């Protein structure tokens, strides 16, 4: 079997059918879909019962979170290559065919770009700075930069992973984290690669951004935990890679700070602001950071009580400039 597509879902009755149908339309011959139902309590099970396609395997699991659902599905995969799709997203018809064309014996990772659809229906075509249709990279340093800092982001969707590498090193998603589990999985995977990665500018994945939710205590802790792991891996490659990972951490911290309430911050939230100020000072003086981001980092750090207002203004400007931070 050539490909296994994993779709974790929790209470996704409103959007799951649309997601699965898009994957079925794109699935190549010799492909399978594994839907990991993470203990849903809504009508998700009924939606899944409506599919009788033999290419779909459903795992009904106790609720453990997205990492637990993905890990359970990984044990069931039979494909040479593994891809992930989030249940509230969609894929374009040619996504897997295009990715698999690049998946030869000298390649261990393939990545495409994405379209973003915001709540309210606005579509934003993510613009990369590649300047070319395809980029081929070897070596952890360059791959880290391309994924985490330059163009492609840290989610596992819109990629192909080689099952042999995942199985050989028993790679799994961290179930002790509620955010950044994708980033940790990709970082661990890239460190095990021995061959090349292929990056495509084709926007073949449709990523849905839900309405912003308040920052939760567990997310603050996981920001520290996850990026602590990633930054250490970065410095194990080179000082420069470690610094780039600190810059991506500053980006992520800025989003968290901007979601904080305008008044009455808790001690955890104050600690998040203190940590953000520490990293933003380093980012502001870095030549890797563009002028707009320098101002953005400074504004959030200097005026955290107005962070929500600052973020909304920054996002509006960055969308017009074909850049986003959300």
């Amino acid at each position: 079997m050539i490909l296994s597509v994993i779709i974790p879902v929790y209470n996704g009755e409103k959007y799951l059918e649309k997601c699965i149908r898009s994957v079925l339309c794109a699935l190549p011959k010799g492909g399978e879909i594994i839907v990991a139902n993470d203990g849903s309590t809504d009508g998700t099970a009924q939606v899944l019962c409506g599919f009788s396609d033999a290419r779909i395997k459903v795992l009904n699991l106790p609720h453990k979170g997205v990492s637990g659902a993905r890990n359970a599905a990984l044990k069931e995969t039979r494909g040479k290559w593994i891809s992930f799709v989030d249940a509230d997203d969609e894929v374009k018809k040619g996504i897997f065919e295009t990715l698999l064309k690049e998946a030869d014996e000298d390649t261990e990772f393939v990545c495409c770009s994405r379209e973003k659809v915001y709540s309210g229906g606005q579509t934003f075509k993510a613009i990369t700075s590649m300047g070319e249709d395809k980029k081929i990279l070897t070596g952890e340093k360059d791959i880290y930069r391309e994924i985490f800092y330059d163009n492609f982001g840290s989610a596992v969707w819109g990629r192909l992973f080689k099952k042999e590498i995942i199985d050989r090193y028993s790679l799994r998603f961290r179930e002790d984290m509620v955010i950044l589990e994708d980033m940790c999985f990709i970082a661990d995977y890239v460190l095990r690669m021995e061959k090349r990665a292929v990056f495509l500018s084709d926007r073949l994945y449709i990523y849905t951004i839900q309405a912003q939710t308040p920052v939760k205590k567990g997310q603050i802790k996981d920001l520290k935990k996850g990026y602590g792991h990633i930054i250490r891996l970065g410095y194990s490659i080179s000082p420069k890679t470690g610094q780039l990972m600190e810059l991506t951490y500053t980006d992520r911290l800025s989003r968290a700070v901007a979601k904080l309430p305008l008044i009455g911050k808790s001690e955890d939230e104050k600690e998040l602001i203190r940590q953000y100020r520490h990293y933003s000072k380093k980012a502001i003086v870095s030549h890797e950071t563009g002028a707009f981001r320098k101002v953005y980092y400074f504004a959030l750090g200097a005026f955290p009580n107005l962070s929500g207002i600052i973020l909304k203004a920054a996002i509006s400007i960055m969308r017009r400039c074909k850049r986003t931070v959300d």
Side-chain angles (χ1 to χ4, degrees), residues 102 109-113 130 132-138 142-147 151-152 159 196-202:
E102 305 295 337
F109 183 79
V110 188
C111 177
C112 70
S113 190
M130 284 177 61
E132 53 193 316
D133 293 333
K134 179 168 72 173
K135 183 179 289 187
I136 298 174
L137 297 175
T138 57
D142 289 340
I143 296 173
Y144 257 50
R145 183 187 183 98
E146 189 67 33
I147 295 174
N151 290 311
F152 284 93
R159 288 94 168 95
R196 69 183 190 176
V198 177
F199 296 90
L200 305 174
S201 63
D202 303 82

Side-chain angles (χ1 to χ4, degrees), residues 35-97:
V35 182
N37 182 9
D38 183 33
S40 297
T41 57
D42 64 352
T44 293
Q46 287 72 23
V47 172
L48 291 171
C49 287
F51 289 94
S52 58
D53 197 301
R55 295 173 293 176
I56 301 175
K57 181 175 183 177
V58 176
L59 304 179
N60 289 306
L61 308 165
H63 181 53
K64 293 182 65 178
V66 65
S67 290
R70 285 173 175 159
N71 288 339
L74 279 172
K75 296 177 183 178
E76 303 295 326
T77 55
R78 297 176 294 164
K80 180 179 180 180
W81 294 92
I82 294 173
S83 191
F84 298 90
V85 176
D86 283 355
D88 57 345
D89 295 339
E90 297 174 64
V91 297
K92 295 187 178 180
K93 189 173 182 179
I95 181 171
F96 300 123
E97 179 182 359

Side-chain angles (χ1 to χ4, degrees), residues 9-293:
V9 58
Y10 176 69
N11 289 350
E13 65 173 336
K14 294 180 180 179
Y15 39 73
L16 179 60
E17 180 177 356
K18 195 173 183 180
C19 171
I20 293 177
R21 293 200 182 282
S22 76
V23 176
L24 282 171
C25 288
L27 197 68
K29 185 178 180 180
E32 66 175 357
I33 300 172
I34 301 177
V35 182
N37 182 9
D38 183 33
S40 297
T41 57
D42 64 352
T44 293
Q46 287 72 23
V47 172
L48 291 171
C49 287
F51 289 94
S52 58
D53 197 301
R55 295 173 293 176
I56 301 175
K57 181 175 183 177
V58 176
L59 304 179
N60 289 306
L61 308 165
H63 181 53
K64 293 182 65 178
V66 65
S67 290
R70 285 173 175 159
N71 288 339
L74 279 172
K75 296 177 183 178
E76 303 295 326
T77 55
R78 297 176 294 164
K80 180 179 180 180
W81 294 92
I82 294 173
S83 191
F84 298 90
V85 176
D86 283 355
D88 57 345
D89 295 339
E90 297 174 64
V91 297
K92 295 187 178 180
K93 189 173 182 179
I95 181 171
F96 300 123
E97 179 182 359
T98 301
L99 292 174
L100 286 167
K101 281 182 181 178
E102 305 295 337
D104 56 30
E105 292 303 316
D106 294 322
T107 302
E108 294 174 327
F109 183 79
V110 188
C111 177
C112 70
S113 190
R114 74 282 185 200
E115 284 186 3
K116 293 182 178 182
V117 179
Y118 295 89
S119 55
Q122 180 186 6
T123 298
F124 180 92
K125 292 185 176 181
I127 304 298
T128 73
S129 59
M130 284 177 61
E132 53 193 316
D133 293 333
K134 179 168 72 173
K135 183 179 289 187
I136 298 174
L137 297 175
T138 57
E140 307 101 319
K141 181 179 178 179
D142 289 340
I143 296 173
Y144 257 50
R145 183 187 183 98
E146 189 67 33
I147 295 174
F148 296 120
Y149 188 70
D150 280 349
N151 290 311
F152 284 93
S154 55
V156 292
W157 40 253
R159 288 94 168 95
L160 290 184
F161 299 87
K162 208 162 193 175
K163 178 176 171 61
E164 178 188 354
I165 294 177
I166 292 173
D167 290 347
R168 185 194 312 162
Y169 296 101
S170 301
L171 299 181
R172 292 295 184 265
F173 291 86
R174 293 186 59 167
E175 298 184 19
D176 61 334
M177 298 172 61
V178 296
I179 55 172
L180 302 189
E181 68 284 341
D182 284 33
M183 180 175 280
C184 289
F185 182 86
I186 292 179
D188 290 341
Y189 181 91
V190 169
L191 281 180
R192 271 71 176 194
M193 287 176 52
E194 297 177 354
K195 299 180 181 179
R196 69 183 190 176
V198 177
F199 296 90
L200 305 174
S201 63
D202 303 82
R203 304 182 191 100
L204 301 174
Y205 191 95
I206 303 173
Y207 168 48
T208 303
I209 298 179
Q210 304 295 342
Q212 287 189 4
T213 56
V215 177
K216 299 177 181 178
K217 184 175 180 179
Q219 292 178 322
I220 295 173
K221 292 182 178 179
D222 282 356
L223 277 168
K224 300 176 185 178
K225 184 190 305 179
Y227 264 103
H229 176 68
I230 300 302
I231 290 171
R232 285 193 296 274
L233 291 181
Y235 276 108
S236 74
I237 297 170
S238 72
K240 188 66 173 178
T241 307
Q243 291 167 13
L244 289 176
M245 296 314 301
E246 288 184 344
L247 288 178
T248 64
Y249 186 27
T250 310
D251 262 359
R252 188 62 67 99
L253 281 170
S254 73
R255 301 177 213 180
V257 169
K259 292 181 181 180
L260 294 177
L262 297 184
I263 58 174
K265 291 179 173 54
S266 67
E267 286 303 315
D268 285 308
E269 291 168 338
K270 291 176 182 177
E271 172 58 29
L272 178 63
I273 292 172
R274 285 192 288 267
Q275 188 165 19
Y276 170 74
R277 284 174 168 164
H278 169 75
Y279 280 97
S280 66
K281 288 177 182 177
K282 299 175 71 173
I284 289 168
V285 299
S286 170
H287 72 277
E288 299 283 351
T289 306
F292 181 88
R293 285 179 184 262

